[in-house]
Amino acid sequence: MSNLHPSPEAEECAASLAPAPVVQALAARVSSLGALPIRRALPLRERRLVGPWCFLDRYGPLSFAGEKPMDVAPHPHIGLQTVSWLLEGEIIHHDSIGSEALVRPGELSLMTAGSGIAHTEETPQSNSGKLNGVQLWVALPDAARNGQPAFHHYRELPVVEERGGLVRTIMGGRAATNHFSPLIAAELTIHRGAALELPLDAAFEHALLILDGEASLAEQRLVPDTLYYLGQHRRSMALGSVDGARCLLIGGTPLEEPVLMWWNFVARSNAELEAARRDWEAHQRFAEVKAYRGPRLDAPAFVPRPIR
Ligand code: MN
């Protein structure tokens, strides 16, 4: 996934904590990624981080025939991990370290950019004609952000049957995934007419996004395409649904230092962002994605974050 905003200004993302549990409803921004309509739930002006989670795009559900709804040409990343999670459909991933993975529903595709990687994400030639999923980015902590790029694909993830629903861990928690700061991502299924109560790590801040169906959180009705920021110090969460629902839960310990985000890069200074842009444009640092046919994405003009 790539940020295709025409002239993105570098954004400072600093943890802004709610001292107590809250329920803050934040409407996702409607945008598009090439031909693919998306709703961006992070970053938002009112909330740029949830723990280390700094980006959340929701796309689909959609049906298609013939065309290729996802076709993200080669583009670079630094300082973050990309998380692809599908509810329906398929994506084929290729990257500059030679990885190839067919991503299917219930599988985690996890790319660690470290000091620099380039990748592509496409609807494969052979497909189900459906696409429905999310892409998230995790900002890497300082100790890990200049590490070697890596790619991991997890076909089996822990699923626990709880009273009232299912908890499928995507990252962190019971899942032995490659991550670098305390965090959680999980797909929660709430059965029809059921209540699902889950313990939460009080050291984390959390947020919820409805993926399908309808649900309520402690009697408050939740609507689609809205990020519900839940604050920190919350020990449990009580969800309910009349007709059944799936939700995405994300959380983690707040980042200790503010990060700068611009285009597809997470860094700490304007100079680092500019250097990454220059290296991409000069075909340095980031190797080519050899499996992709077609031109790569050009970096937009850099607009530094004003030093205040
Ligand atoms: Mn990407």
Side-chain angles (χ1 to χ4, degrees), residues 162-185:
E162 301 280 353
R163 197 208 307 211
L166 297 175
V167 178
R168 190 181 295 270
T169 307
I170 301 169
M171 219 177 149
R174 295 185 182 94
T177 48
N178 183 47
H179 56 274
F180 299 89
S181 66
L183 57 77
I184 187 76

Side-chain angles (χ1 to χ4, degrees), residues 11 33 69 92 118-119 144 150 183 194 275:
E11 294 176 88
L33 186 68
I92 183 102
H119 74 147
L183 57 77

Side-chain angles (χ1 to χ4, degrees), residues 29 162 170 199 261 272:
R29 284 183 285 148
E162 301 280 353
I170 301 169
M261 214 171 133
E272 287 177 353

Side-chain angles (χ1 to χ4, degrees), residues 20 26 70 82 175 188 203 224 244 257 263 298:
L26 303 165
M70 185 176 286
T82 65
L188 313 177
E257 73 266 36
W263 193 37
D298 289 324

